[in-house]
């Protein structure tokens, strides 16, 4: 009886939290603010959680469901054309990614030296990836302050939201691109959507569980990405998701992220707003400079090159690129390479850094 009452209480908390999250997303949507069902949901849950009116609850399986949907969507953008481009541009992708991460590591080192933030947290805060992907990665890595990472990543996202459109529509960017790619991010039609989506959905869930079993970084995101990408390469392409389903995925992830930000810890981070803003503007500026190198080397348009290097997610940059008729294949290729490189190369680096710090602390105590 006691267990039943507890379960009902959790259900009530979840209902209240989802209502708050929905109202936040709806408000952002009404005012036409960017990424409403991610940022609006996250902001509403965060604010109410700060006020501490009622204990809020958001189970991790909802977040995982959202990640699987996003993973499926990103995996769809990985086509044969993307694979060919990644093979052709592999030296350039590797060089640009490593250079960007080295610069970010330098920024993280300076932040860790000038503030109380440890280096692994500063590095994760500076990594240029998608908001949900990096926060999920940070949550799964021990020794990282998730509140600080979320604070820095959200601040940088806000900077990107304002800076990217300003730069793209400024006179320094030319319209048009070297190639216009067929639509890979579009609305699914009812005839093509069912029943294929059920099979591809089950496959994505299976890949997420397999990824978790083999301890793949951010398994519920990376598993579906790799699985759907592999099917795409052998011409087994799943149906594109309607925008409403992508909104649902952002809603499921946003509510969870909103609760990750601990109110009592967030108040202590307010003094770091200038550092977070400077870090965000520096990353956008670095991406702009690296895009100039890409434009010079491969004669791509500025828009294509900038979105390829911009510190956002593959799905978000791909959608912006599609709207602006940029080369979505190149954008997706560079963004996916960076995501895969980060998820496979950064965890061992962070573990090494954490071990080194632990040994250093033990040596001091001795």
């Amino acid at each position: 009886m006691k267990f039943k009452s507890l379960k009902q209480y959790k259900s009530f908390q979840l209902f209240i939290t989802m209502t708050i999250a929905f109202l936040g997303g709806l408000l952002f949507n009404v005012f036409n603010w960017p990424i409403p069902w991610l940022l609006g949901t996250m902001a509403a849950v965060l604010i109410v959680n700060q006020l501490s009116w009622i204990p809020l609850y958001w189970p991790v399986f909802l977040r995982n469901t959202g990640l699987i949907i996003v993973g499926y969507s990103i995996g769809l953008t990985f086509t044969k054309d993307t694979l060919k481009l990644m093979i052709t541009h592999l030296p350039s992708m590797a060089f640009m990614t490593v250079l960007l991460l080295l610069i970010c590591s330098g920024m993280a080192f300076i932040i860790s030296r000038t503030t109380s933030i440890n280096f692994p947290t500063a590095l994760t805060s500076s990594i240029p990836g998608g908001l949900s992907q990096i926060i999920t990665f940070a949550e799964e890595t021990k020794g990282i302050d998730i509140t600080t990472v979320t604070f820095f990543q959200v601040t940088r996202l806000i900077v990107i939201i304002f800076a990217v459109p300003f730069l793209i529509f400024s006179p320094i960017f030319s319209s048009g691109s070297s190639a216009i790619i067929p639509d890979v991010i579009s609305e699914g039609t009812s005839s093509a959507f069912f029943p294929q989506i059920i099979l591809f959905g089950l496959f994505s869930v299976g890949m997420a569980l397999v990824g978790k079993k083999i301890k793949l970084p951010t398994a519920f995101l990376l598993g579906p990405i790799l699985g759907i990408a592999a099917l795409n390469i052998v011409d087994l392409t799943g149906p594109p998701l309607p925008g409403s389903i992508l909104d649902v995925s952002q809603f499921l992830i946003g509510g969870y992220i909103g609760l990750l930000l601990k109110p009592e810890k967030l108040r202590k981070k307010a003094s770091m707003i200038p550092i977070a803003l400077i870090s965000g503007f520096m990353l956008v500026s670095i991406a702009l400079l690296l895009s100039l190198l890409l434009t010079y080397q491969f004669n791509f348009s500025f828009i294509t090159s900038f979105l390829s290097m911009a510190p956002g997610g593959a799905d978000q940059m791909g959608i912006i690129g599609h709207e602006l008729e940029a080369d979505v294949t190149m954008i997706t290729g560079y963004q996916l390479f960076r995501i895969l490189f980060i998820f496979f190369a950064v965890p061992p680096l962070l573990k090494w850094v954490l071990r080194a710090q632990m040994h250093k602390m033990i040596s001091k105590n001795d």
Side-chain angles (χ1 to χ4, degrees):
M1 187 71 181
K2 186 177 179 181
F3 175 77
K4 186 177 180 182
S5 299
L6 182 62
K7 186 175 180 181
Q8 288 176 343
Y9 183 59
K10 284 290 184 183
S11 299
F12 175 73
Q13 284 183 321
L14 176 59
F15 173 75
I16 294 297
T17 309
M18 293 189 79
T19 301
I20 293 167
F22 178 78
L23 291 175
L26 189 63
L27 181 66
F28 270 53
N29 195 54
V30 167
F31 284 98
N32 202 27
W33 290 338
I35 322 178
W37 294 107
L38 178 67
L39 293 183
T41 299
M42 184 174 64
V45 172
L46 170 62
I47 292 170
V48 174
N49 196 34
Q50 283 259 37
L51 298 174
S52 302
W53 287 339
I54 184 173
L56 302 181
Y57 174 65
W58 199 278
V60 70
F61 84 86
L62 291 180
R63 188 283 309 261
N64 291 341
T65 301
L67 288 176
I68 290 172
I69 295 172
V70 173
Y72 173 85
S73 178
I74 294 177
L76 283 181
T77 65
F78 197 107
T79 62
K80 282 185 176 179
D81 288 335
T82 311
L83 180 62
K84 291 176 183 176
L85 181 139
M86 288 181 73
I87 294 173
T88 304
H89 291 260
L90 190 59
S92 174
M93 288 181 176
F95 173 76
M96 291 293 185
T97 300
V98 171
L99 180 59
L100 185 60
L101 289 179
L102 285 174
I103 294 172
C104 291
S105 298
M107 290 171 53
F109 180 78
I110 294 172
I111 290 173
S112 67
R113 287 291 182 178
T114 55
T115 66
S116 59
I117 302 173
N118 61 46
F119 180 72
T121 299
L123 180 59
T124 310
S125 300
S126 303
I127 289 175
L131 175 64
S132 57
Q133 296 97 307
I134 297 301
I135 291 176
T136 303
F137 162 75
E139 188 188 11
E140 295 179 358
T141 307
K142 293 181 180 180
I144 291 179
D145 184 350
I146 186 67
T147 302
T148 298
V149 172
T150 306
F151 181 76
F152 269 76
Q153 291 286 345
V154 170
T155 303
R156 193 191 70 209
L157 180 61
I158 294 171
V159 171
I160 291 170
I161 287 168
F162 286 100
V164 170
F166 174 79
L167 288 170
I168 284 177
F169 292 105
S170 66
I172 65 172
F173 283 95
S174 58
S175 60
S177 60
S178 61
I180 295 177
I181 304 303
D183 189 4
V184 293
I185 305 172
S186 60
E187 297 287 329
T189 59
S190 57
S191 59
F193 199 64
F194 291 104
Q196 293 95 323
I197 190 59
I198 298 176
L199 298 175
F200 281 94
L202 291 174
F203 176 78
S204 297
V205 172
M207 287 301 302
L209 295 176
V210 169
K212 185 172 178 61
K213 185 73 175 178
I214 63 176
K215 298 183 179 179
L216 196 68
T218 57
F220 286 93
L221 178 75
L222 203 52
I225 289 177
L226 296 177
I228 296 300
L231 292 183
N232 261 3
I233 292 170
V234 296
D235 291 328
L236 292 174
T237 305
L241 295 177
S244 56
I245 294 182
L246 294 176
D247 289 341
V248 169
S249 71
Q250 293 184 6
F251 175 83
L252 296 176
I253 295 169
Y256 186 82
I257 294 175
L259 283 184
L260 283 180
L261 292 163
K262 304 300 181 185
E264 66 281 0
K265 292 183 179 179
L266 192 61
R267 294 187 191 103
K268 298 177 183 177
K269 309 298 178 186
S271 60
M272 296 183 184
I273 290 177
I275 298 173
L277 286 172
I278 292 171
S279 173
F281 278 112
M282 284 185 66
L283 278 174
V284 173
S285 301
I286 291 164
L288 180 60
L289 292 175
L290 292 179
S291 69
L292 292 173
L293 290 177
L294 273 184
T295 302
Y296 174 77
Q297 185 176 5
F298 298 110
N299 200 30
F300 284 105
S301 72
F302 247 165
I303 293 176
T304 297
S305 299
F306 181 62
L307 291 177
S308 298
M309 299 308 304
D315 49 348
Q316 296 162 11
M317 295 301 105
I319 291 171
I320 294 174
H322 172 70
E323 290 295 322
L324 296 172
E325 296 186 336
D327 189 336
V328 179
T329 298
M330 181 183 178
I331 294 168
T332 305
Y334 273 81
Q335 292 282 350
L336 280 178
F337 181 88
R338 188 164 69 220
I339 288 174
L340 294 174
F341 187 90
I342 287 171
F343 285 167
F344 283 109
V346 174
L349 172 63
L350 286 177
K351 288 179 181 178
W352 178 80
V353 170
L354 288 169
R355 278 199 302 267
Q357 287 186 341
M358 187 65 69
H359 286 310
K360 190 176 181 180
M361 289 176 62
I362 293 172
S363 299
K364 282 185 176 180
N365 292 332
D366 291 343

